[in-house]
Amino acid sequence: MKLDLLLRNAEIITMDPDRPVAGSLGIWQGRIVGLDEDLDGLDAAQVLDLGGATVTPGFIDAHCHTTWFGLGLAELDVSGARGLEELYELLRGAVANPGTDVEGWLFATGFSQTQHGGSFPDIAELDRLTGERPLFMRHNSGHMAVVNTAALRLAGAESPSFPDPDGGAIVRDAAGHPTGLVQETAQELIQQLILPYSLEDIEAALERATLYYASEGITSFTEAGVGGGWIGHSPAELAAYQSASANGRLHARAQVMPVLDVLHGLGGHASDSAGAAPAGLDLGITSGFGNDYLSLGPAKVFLDGSLLGETAAVSHEFCSHGHKDNRGNVGYFQADPAQLRERIEAAYAAGWSIAAHAIGDRAVDLAVDIITDCQGVYGQRRLPNRIEHASMTRPEQLARLADAGIAVTPQASFFREGGDGMTASLGPDRLPWAYRAASFLDAGVMLAGSSDRPVADGNVLRGMQAFVDRRTGSGAVFGNPAERLTPHQALAAYTSGAAAATGTLAEKGTLTPGKLADFAVLSDSPLTAPAISELQVLATAVGGRFTYQSTHFHAEPSSESPYAARVSATQSS
């Protein structure tokens, strides 16, 4: 046998407990053949001497919004503004740009009131800046957006008498006039004027996003909602993924969750379902359909809102703070719980795993109740059922999650930008329940690292650092310090843990012979580095093919073999 690629002189962290470290790794036809002595006597078409650089399994982001992120890379980014005057200046510049179509939409991304002292833009000022050009500025949580009067007028929602949709709100002032903030499902009133995006626009967005992912060591991701609702971009969004994959424009493996809204009733034999009338996609396609590069994940369903927006369904009211009076505010569900249960059971009956967005502990209760009941009637699914975020979990909920085999995806990336705000909203009594990590692992719950990008920073090395130190923007430790992870646990969250939670551990997540050759080359070991966030990604490979090589990853001629190259993997200053 002649290998395709041989990595030598490396510090390889396999994340395989049976063989945790190695110095050499061999690859053939996209898979790992062996380590160290397994490779004795084998030649390779390409030999890379890594000069002591660290190799880890490729990073897996188990919950992100790739199309949204990729589209945002081509939109006005306001995340760097600090203070409303800076925000207005960015909008003013975008409107004045002679290269833009003044009669078209103005799209902006990355807004958060936490960057502006808790204040939202004045709709009167937005109207003055934008005139009749409709504005849609997405909040970085994804659970609300800022719009101007022109956008509301196009949607027919400008009048004070316009009713709020179920599961959402058009925020109004004391006189009943819209403030420009639309929350949760109310965003769809505006989005329906914009959607659908063309498949070419989505494919281009996927290429932009996944090239970015590759530069950060990400080799796999789960797209947390396509095809419908306020999170989808086209009813045919999966077709853009297929096209991107076929055209070489998808630079990481993708697991794609359809939103529950796009599933529909399926006729079939009476024996096909033990209870509820099944609802799914045509031909009976369900979770797991596809290949190791592009496949379908669980069906995504929103149960509640967000902590930053204080719309999550919690058991105790949010704390009043600053100018915000939260008396009586315990958030809300996105729909009637009985209706949510009926729709989820219909999807589960058709064979789908479920990924339930549940932020507040009251929503986590609902998710666990429904999922465990479905598992009791229809059995376990091959892909684990999941609770997305699981941001607020009471102590007694941990055992229920573990017993049911439900995976969770808490985002450590929220701590820096949103931790101080969430601390004020939750108060000291409930703060220990927020964004658990170590206690999930201690209870035996599957923990997957993820970013919710572009809601939060998607850089995995910074996400690992956040799991380890839990620091907020003010420097405080967010929540319970005992929830900090060790560096090894943090790395596992984005490799073996994420693979287990996405039902793909048999194929990836560890550098084990027989598995896919997905790996990242780092400037140093995340297990021993003083600051994980300061490490560099030198190279990324998917199936043994490099999707990214930094300027510090130099292949030079070597005398060791006619095929060998020596890599200079030095960290830049």
Side-chain angles (χ1 to χ4, degrees), residues 301 303 336-346 348 354 356 363-378 385 400 406:
V301 56
L303 300 189
D336 178 76
Q339 293 176 339
L340 289 167
R341 174 181 285 274
E342 182 179 0
R343 294 175 60 212
I344 291 170
E345 185 175 355
Y348 203 93
I354 298 298
V364 171
D365 276 334
L366 180 63
V368 175
D369 287 346
I370 295 174
I371 290 173
T372 54
D373 287 348
C374 285
Q375 290 179 168
V377 175
Y378 304 101
N385 294 300
R400 294 194 68 201
I406 298 172

Side-chain angles (χ1 to χ4, degrees), residues 288-550:
F289 180 80
N291 56 38
D292 58 32
Y293 210 90
L294 174 60
S295 63
L296 289 175
K300 170 76 177 293
V301 56
F302 286 92
L303 300 189
D304 68 344
S306 74
L307 281 183
L308 284 175
E310 297 178 340
T311 57
V314 292
S315 58
H316 299 79
E317 64 188 27
F318 289 102
C319 296
S320 298
H321 55 94
H323 63 283
K324 185 69 174 288
D325 182 359
N326 269 318
R327 286 175 293 184
N329 179 17
V330 292
Y332 51 84
F333 291 113
Q334 296 269 313
D336 178 76
Q339 293 176 339
L340 289 167
R341 174 181 285 274
E342 182 179 0
R343 294 175 60 212
I344 291 170
E345 185 175 355
Y348 203 93
W352 287 91
S353 300
I354 298 298
H357 168 112
I359 297 280
D361 62 307
R362 195 156 52 98
V364 171
D365 276 334
L366 180 63
V368 175
D369 287 346
I370 295 174
I371 290 173
T372 54
D373 287 348
C374 285
Q375 290 179 168
V377 175
Y378 304 101
Q380 295 276 1
R381 294 287 175 246
R382 187 177 68 82
L383 299 189
N385 294 300
R386 299 170 39 163
I387 294 183
E388 307 307 297
H389 314 296
S391 307
M392 294 291 294
T393 48
R394 301 187 309 276
E396 69 271 18
Q397 292 175 319
L398 297 175
R400 294 194 68 201
L401 290 165
D403 290 345
I406 298 172
V408 295
T409 63
Q411 286 80 29
S413 49
F414 288 168
F415 300 158
R416 182 168 182 82
E417 290 294 330
D420 292 320
M422 290 187 288
T423 297
S425 292
L426 297 174
D429 292 340
R430 286 175 296 163
L431 198 55
W433 302 353
Y435 286 96
R436 296 177 181 273
S439 60
F440 279 137
L441 295 178
D442 291 343
V445 179
M446 281 185 284
L447 172 67
S450 69
S451 68
D452 206 16
R453 180 184 253 165
V455 174
D457 181 11
N459 182 285
V460 171
L461 293 171
R462 289 195 289 268
M464 289 174 58
Q465 183 72 57
F467 267 130
V468 170
D469 64 30
R470 296 180 70 90
R471 294 291 178 183
T472 71
S474 69
V477 175
F478 178 72
N480 185 353
E483 293 292 351
R484 289 169 164 164
L485 298 183
T486 66
H488 188 275
Q489 289 172 326
L491 177 58
Y494 289 97
T495 55
S496 55
T502 55
T504 58
L505 185 57
E507 291 288 291
K508 57 191 176 187
T510 68
L511 297 177
T512 301
K515 289 192 177 185
L516 296 165
D518 297 353
F519 61 87
V521 182
L522 307 180
S523 56
D524 205 345
S525 170
L527 304 186
T528 57
I532 300 171
S533 59
E534 294 180 8
L535 298 179
Q536 288 183 306
V537 175
L538 301 176
T540 306
V542 176
R545 294 180 179 274
F546 287 104
T547 54
Y548 170 76
Q549 297 182 65
S550 80

Side-chain angles (χ1 to χ4, degrees), residues 62-64 222-227 231 237-238 254-260 262 295-301 352 354-356 386 388 409 502:
H63 179 118
C64 56
T222 295
E223 170 71 85
V226 302
I231 204 65
E237 201 161 351
L238 184 61
Q255 182 185 71
V256 180
M257 294 181 181
V259 297
L260 197 67
V262 305
S295 63
L296 289 175
K300 170 76 177 293
V301 56
W352 287 91
I354 298 298
R386 299 170 39 163
E388 307 307 297
T409 63
T502 55

Side-chain angles (χ1 to χ4, degrees), residues 112-312:
S112 174
Q113 74 277 16
T114 61
Q115 299 157 348
H116 309 286
S119 298
F120 289 88
D122 182 343
I123 192 171
E125 181 64 16
L126 294 177
D127 291 345
R128 189 182 70 79
L129 289 171
T130 58
E132 290 303 307
R133 185 176 184 184
L135 166 71
F136 185 79
M137 181 164 59
R138 182 86 71 133
H139 191 276
N140 68 358
S141 71
H143 288 266
M144 50 185 151
V146 174
V147 300
N148 61 359
T149 299
L152 290 165
R153 186 178 300 123
L154 285 173
E158 180 185 7
S159 169
S161 62
F162 188 88
D164 287 339
D166 289 340
I170 302 169
V171 179
R172 304 176 188 278
D173 61 22
H177 300 296
T179 65
L181 182 64
V182 289
Q183 296 178 326
E184 306 298 346
T185 59
Q187 295 178 93
E188 294 181 45
L189 299 169
I190 310 301
Q191 288 175 305
Q192 67 185 357
L193 305 172
I194 303 164
L195 298 174
Y197 285 87
S198 73
L199 294 183
E200 171 53 35
D201 284 346
I202 296 173
E203 185 176 339
L206 293 173
E207 180 168 45
R208 284 192 296 270
T210 56
L211 283 171
Y212 202 102
Y213 289 3
S215 72
E216 295 180 336
I218 296 171
T219 56
S220 293
F221 65 95
T222 295
E223 170 71 85
V226 302
W230 60 262
I231 204 65
H233 296 88
S234 166
E237 201 161 351
L238 184 61
Y241 266 91
Q242 290 183 283
S243 181
S245 179
N247 294 331
R249 301 178 75 182
L250 193 64
H251 304 284
R253 302 183 195 275
Q255 182 185 71
V256 180
M257 294 181 181
V259 297
L260 197 67
D261 301 8
V262 305
L263 307 186
H264 54 83
L266 297 174
H269 194 275
S271 65
D272 292 344
S273 174
L281 297 181
D282 290 330
L283 301 178
I285 294 171
T286 60
S287 299
F289 180 80
N291 56 38
D292 58 32
Y293 210 90
L294 174 60
S295 63
L296 289 175
K300 170 76 177 293
V301 56
F302 286 92
L303 300 189
D304 68 344
S306 74
L307 281 183
L308 284 175
E310 297 178 340
T311 57

